Amino acid sequence: MKVKKYQAKDMAQAMTKIKNELGHNAVILNSKQVETGGFLGFFTKKSIEVIAALDQELPPVRSKKKVSPAKLNQTEQKETPNQLSSEIDELKRMITNMQGDGPSASEDYPEALKVINSQLIDQEIHSNYRSLIMKNLLRRWYKEEGENKKQNDIKEWLESELRALTSEASFGEFKYDKKYLNVVGPTGVGKTTTLAKIAARAVLQEKKKVAFVTTDTFRIAAIEQLKTYAKILNVPVEVAYSMEDFKEALTRLQDYDFILIDSAGRNYRNAVYVEQLNEIMDFNDETETHLVLAVTSKYRDMKKILEQFKLIKVDKLIFTKLDETETLGAMVNIIADSKIGSSYLTTGQNVPDDIEEATQGNILERLIRR
């Protein structure tokens, strides 16, 4: 079998080329529209790419001219097993490249871009976003004479693409333009410790008069942990078991500048718990809700948790446990998916030290550096 790829301005021209070279017995295996340029189809002029094959056990019919016996015998010769295997492998490679994201797709990138592609895979950037980024980097490589660029220049291109991917999200810490910060999240993400870090920043740096309210009555340890932090910071704690308790607590704390609300750390993949939270909490214009997610979690789990919070408006994301993983791509994935930015990043258990304001720049810088 002989397999070949053709490029032409339209199908009619492609068919003419195929008939002239392979004859009327050739068959079309695949076709797609590409952009002229001959390299992964990333240039401006439209063309068509066709993969055709000829079973050489049949003599190709190129014209009505008489074919000599010698020539006919040559066309009827069968390929060796090695030749056939090689052509089948080439066919598989071409079809995989046409699909755009198979293991061999990156083989056609310039060496410097192969490095970037490998890094994005290693950081678990979602394949859809990775394909978009690499397509744009490749286009820029040729338009800006990438062969003469240094690796640092290419990393700047990468940062630009990642910024575009997360440009619709809003970043930055709580600005105290609202009185209440409601912190929610599943179990095991370090929610209560994060709450204490935010409170410490408010007390020590912003000189705010701070108080805690907790609705996490399912775990005695969580209440005791929050009370310990409150004692260290010399701030009050109110425990709310119902909506009535919650309203009364806020009334008692009305003279405070900033009130942090610690919600129950339960399994938010179950929508019932979010509904219960919605019943006990009063989400109003004076409240911001920040969802805590651990970057050690799987991306699909983060998506599921965020999806369950459709009943409650999530204003920002807090990413914890950055010190416990080398893979940060899930942060970019979830921000790009949801268009929700981040307020804080935490990097350890120390209160109040291991927390920093989340900005688009420091999230992307961490990702690129790793």
Side-chain angles (χ1 to χ4, degrees), residues 151-178:
Q151 193 69 27
N152 285 342
D153 297 318
I154 298 171
K155 285 188 176 182
E156 288 179 8
W157 299 353
L158 174 60
E159 182 178 354
S160 177
E161 292 300 324
L162 290 169
R163 281 185 177 276
L165 200 62
T166 55
S167 61
E168 295 184 46
S170 175
F171 296 84
E173 64 186 341
F174 188 78
K175 299 302 183 184
Y176 306 103
D177 51 345
K178 296 183 180 181

Side-chain angles (χ1 to χ4, degrees), residues 58-206:
L58 298 174
V61 181
R62 291 185 174 85
S63 68
K64 295 182 179 179
K65 293 180 180 180
K66 186 176 180 180
V67 180
S68 69
K71 290 183 178 179
L72 183 59
N73 289 336
Q74 290 174 3
T75 60
E76 289 178 340
Q77 288 178 353
K78 294 183 180 180
E79 292 179 315
T80 66
N82 287 341
Q83 288 175 319
L84 184 59
S85 176
S86 175
E87 289 178 353
I88 290 173
D89 288 342
E90 174 66 10
L91 174 59
K92 288 179 180 179
R93 187 192 70 79
M94 286 190 291
I95 292 176
T96 300
N97 283 346
M98 290 179 71
Q99 292 171 342
D101 197 39
S104 64
S106 64
E107 292 176 4
D108 290 322
Y109 291 132
E111 193 61 38
L113 295 190
K114 284 183 182 180
V115 173
I116 298 297
N117 188 55
S118 295
Q119 289 173 341
L120 294 177
I121 293 172
D122 186 57
Q123 285 298 312
E124 298 182 3
I125 295 292
H126 192 275
S127 59
N128 290 344
Y129 297 135
R130 179 166 53 85
S131 296
L132 176 63
I133 289 169
M134 294 308 300
K135 176 179 178 179
N136 291 338
L137 290 181
L138 187 61
R139 180 181 287 115
R140 192 165 179 176
W141 174 273
Y142 283 100
K143 285 186 176 180
E144 301 191 23
E145 298 179 353
E147 293 86 345
N148 300 321
K149 296 292 183 181
K150 298 179 181 178
Q151 193 69 27
N152 285 342
D153 297 318
I154 298 171
K155 285 188 176 182
E156 288 179 8
W157 299 353
L158 174 60
E159 182 178 354
S160 177
E161 292 300 324
L162 290 169
R163 281 185 177 276
L165 200 62
T166 55
S167 61
E168 295 184 46
S170 175
F171 296 84
E173 64 186 341
F174 188 78
K175 299 302 183 184
Y176 306 103
D177 51 345
K178 296 183 180 181
K179 187 167 184 174
Y180 307 104
L181 175 59
N182 178 40
V183 180
V184 299
T187 56
V189 296
K191 181 170 57 65
T192 303
T193 304
T194 300
L195 204 73
K197 292 175 183 177
I198 297 171
R201 287 167 70 95
V203 171
L204 302 175
Q205 297 179 17
E206 304 296 332

